[in-house]
Amino acid sequence: MLGGLSAAGFLADYWQKRPLLVRGAFPQGFCPISPEELAGLACEEEVESRLIHQQPQADPPWQVQHGPFAEADFLQLPQSHWTVLVQEINKHVPAFALLQDAFTFIPNWRLDDVMVSYAADQGGVGPHADNYDVFLIQGPGQRRWRLGYQPVGPEHLIPGLPLRVLAAFQAEEEYLLNEGDMLYLPPGVVHEGVAIGEALTISVGFRAPNRVELLSAYLADCLAQMDGEAFYADPDLPVQANPGEISAAALGKIRGIIRSLPLDEQSIDRWFGSFITDVRPGHYLPEPEQALDHNTFLQLLSQHGELWRSEYARFAYVTESDTLTQLYVAGEVYPLEPEQSFLAPLLCGQRVYTQEHILAVLQRPGSMELLLSLYQLGALYFPD
Ligand code: SIN
Ligand code: CO
C-alpha cells in the first residue's frame, strides 16, 4: 500500500515530514459505499455530516450546512461545485472500520477516524491546511490535488466563513488521482482537492493532542482529585517592615503549592492512557442489551462466529513493568497481571477476533472475566 516503501521507510522519510503519492495503493480500487448510500447515511440522526457548496458569485462564496439532511436537500443541488462529507464513517460501515487495519504501523492512539466525501464535478472544500496527518484514498472518479507550502495563519483565511479556506493559494505541486491512488499529507501542507466529474474520496485521518489542551486536561484531572477546602495558611507570619512586600517565606509556600502538582511518571502515564482512549465528550459507548454470563457469551460467540471491537472505543496499552500491563479502553483502565498481559497486544492489534481465536484465548485464566467486562462496557460486540 505504501508503493514499495516499508513502514519503517515511510515513517522515517514521510510521516509528519512530506507528502507521498502512491499510485495504485489499492490496485482493485476501494469503494465499499455508493454515493446513494453515503447520502442515505448523511440523512441519519446519529451520523455527523456536512454539505459544502461553492458559489463564487455569492456572498459568502462558500456555504456549509450540517446534517442530518433530508432527501430533498440533495435533489435541490446543482450539477457541480458541491460535496457531502460523512465523518467517522468507520462507526457506521464495517468495511471502513477494517480499512484502518491497513494503517497499524501507526499507533492506535494517533488514529482519529475515516471520513468519506462524495463530490459533484468541481466539488471540494477549498484550499486549506489541516493540523493532522491524513491519507487520502481515491475511490471511484478522479480528483485533482494541488499542494502548497505557504504559511497558514488566521490572516490568510477568507474572513467570516464557517470553513477554513485560504484567500490566496499558490500551488507548487499538482497530482491527478485515479481510483485506488493514495496521497499522504502531513500537517500544515496546504491542499485543495477538486473533483473531475463525480468523485468519492476516503480520508483516513490521524490526531495529535494539542499541547494546551493536553496540559489543561491534565491540570483539570489533578484539580479534581485535590482537596477543594485546603487554603494557604500562615500561622508563622512574622511582622513585616512594609505591608507591600510579598515575602520570600510566602513565595516559598506558594511555590510549594504549585509544585505539589503530581508530575511523577506514573501519575502522568496513567492519566494519559485514560485520557487518550476516552470517548469524545458528548459521545457514549452503545451499551449491550443484556448482561452476559460465561455460557451466554460462548453461545453468542458460536452463533455469530466473531467478536468485534467497537468503533466507539479506543484500545491502547502500556507495559508498565514485567509484572504489570495497563490496558486502556474508552478511558477505563484494566491492570493485567503477567498471566493476562498477552491479552493487551492481542485486543489492541486487531478489530475482529474469530471464534477459534477467542476460544484459544479463553483457555488462559482471567480471560473470560476481561472479555465480559469489555463486552459489558460496550467495547466488544457480536456483529449482526
Ligand atoms: C475531501 O474533500 O474528501 C477531503 C477534504 C480535505 O481536504 O481534508
Ligand atoms: Co484537508
Side-chain angles (χ1 to χ4, degrees):
M1 193 192 70
L2 295 171
L5 274 176
S6 66
F10 169 77
L11 294 178
D13 295 335
Y14 295 92
W15 173 250
Q16 297 245 300
K17 297 169 198 74
R18 54 200 174 104
L20 173 68
L21 170 67
V22 183
R23 293 280 177 207
F26 293 80
Q28 323 302 336
F30 184 73
C31 178
I33 196 164
S34 68
E36 292 73 26
E37 287 167 327
L38 191 72
L41 274 178
C43 294
E44 285 181 27
E45 191 70 50
E46 67 279 7
V47 175
E48 217 178 297
S49 60
R50 283 175 302 159
L51 184 60
I52 298 178
H53 188 183
Q54 185 189 12
Q55 287 175 293
Q57 309 315 329
D59 185 23
W62 293 87
Q63 270 114 40
V64 183
Q65 287 169 270
H66 291 268
F69 296 100
E71 220 179 302
D73 294 324
F74 295 110
L75 298 176
Q76 288 164 5
L77 288 165
Q79 290 294 317
S80 68
H81 290 88
W82 58 268
T83 178
V84 58
L85 304 103
V86 173
Q87 232 61 49
E88 302 197 325
I89 199 162
N90 48 305
K91 288 184 174 160
H92 311 294
V93 181
F96 290 110
L98 295 178
L99 170 65
Q100 299 170 107
D101 283 344
F103 297 87
T104 48
F105 54 92
I106 301 161
N108 288 357
W109 69 267
R110 295 283 270 111
L111 180 61
D112 192 2
D113 71 337
V114 182
M115 179 182 84
V116 177
S117 69
Y118 166 80
D121 185 36
Q122 302 301 311
V125 302
H128 67 282
D130 298 309
N131 292 318
Y132 308 106
D133 307 81
V134 64
F135 292 85
L136 298 155
I137 302 163
Q138 187 55 48
Q142 288 184 311
R143 192 181 272 263
R144 177 175 297 120
W145 287 99
R146 299 198 305 145
L147 311 186
Y149 298 89
Q150 71 214 65
V152 180
E155 69 276 23
H156 302 114
L157 304 179
I158 301 179
L161 285 190
L163 194 66
R164 291 163 52 87
V165 180
L166 283 175
F169 174 40
Q170 274 301 324
E172 291 170 48
E173 291 163 29
E174 187 174 307
Y175 305 105
L176 181 65
L177 266 69
N178 295 304
E179 184 169 1
D181 293 347
M182 180 172 79
L183 179 62
Y184 160 74
L185 297 178
V189 174
V190 181
H191 53 287
E192 180 185 35
V194 175
I196 308 298
E198 296 173 44
L200 265 182
T201 300
I202 299 108
S203 310
V204 180
F206 287 78
R207 60 183 190 147
N210 172 286
R211 290 173 67 109
V212 170
E213 280 166 17
L214 194 73
L215 289 167
S216 95
Y218 185 62
L219 206 54
D221 189 72
C222 294
L223 297 181
Q225 293 177 44
M226 278 183 186
D227 175 4
E229 295 305 312
F231 291 85
Y232 175 91
D234 51 3
D236 51 352
L237 184 68
V239 176
Q240 292 189 185
N242 188 298
E245 186 185 21
I246 303 173
S247 71
L251 287 172
K253 287 179 197 276
I254 297 297
R255 280 185 229 122
I257 294 174
I258 303 277
R259 289 191 181 130
S260 72
L261 274 175
L263 293 177
D264 59 291
E265 281 178 23
Q266 192 178 76
S267 303
I268 296 174
D269 298 357
R270 289 188 176 177
W271 165 79
F272 184 69
S274 294
F275 167 76
I276 206 68
T277 58
D278 211 352
V279 182
R280 269 173 58 193
H283 290 231
Y284 303 93
L285 288 184
E287 271 185 39
E289 281 160 25
Q290 50 174 145
L292 299 186
D293 59 20
H294 297 202
N295 288 336
T296 354
F297 184 88
L298 291 172
Q299 259 170 30
L300 287 173
L301 182 62
S302 91
Q303 214 171 304
H304 295 264
E306 285 175 345
L307 181 65
W308 282 52
R309 210 166 82 188
S310 166
E311 289 301 305
Y312 291 83
R314 294 176 190 281
F315 282 63
Y317 69 92
V318 174
T319 310
E320 266 195 21
S321 68
D322 291 346
T323 51
L324 185 59
T325 299
Q326 302 277 22
L327 173 67
Y328 297 96
V329 179
E332 301 292 324
V333 59
Y334 298 86
L336 304 180
E337 314 231 318
E339 280 266 84
Q340 289 95 42
S341 64
F342 76 99
L343 282 163
L346 186 134
L347 291 169
C348 295
Q350 59 206 76
R351 291 188 148 68
V352 175
Y353 321 99
T354 62
Q355 183 179 359
E356 296 71 42
H357 208 161
I358 294 293
L359 290 177
V361 163
L362 290 176
Q363 302 300 316
R364 315 267 288 260
S367 299
M368 181 58 106
E369 286 67 27
L370 181 68
L371 293 184
L372 284 178
S373 303
L374 294 175
Y375 178 88
Q376 226 44 67
L377 183 69
L380 296 175
Y381 70 100
F382 294 105
D384 293 331

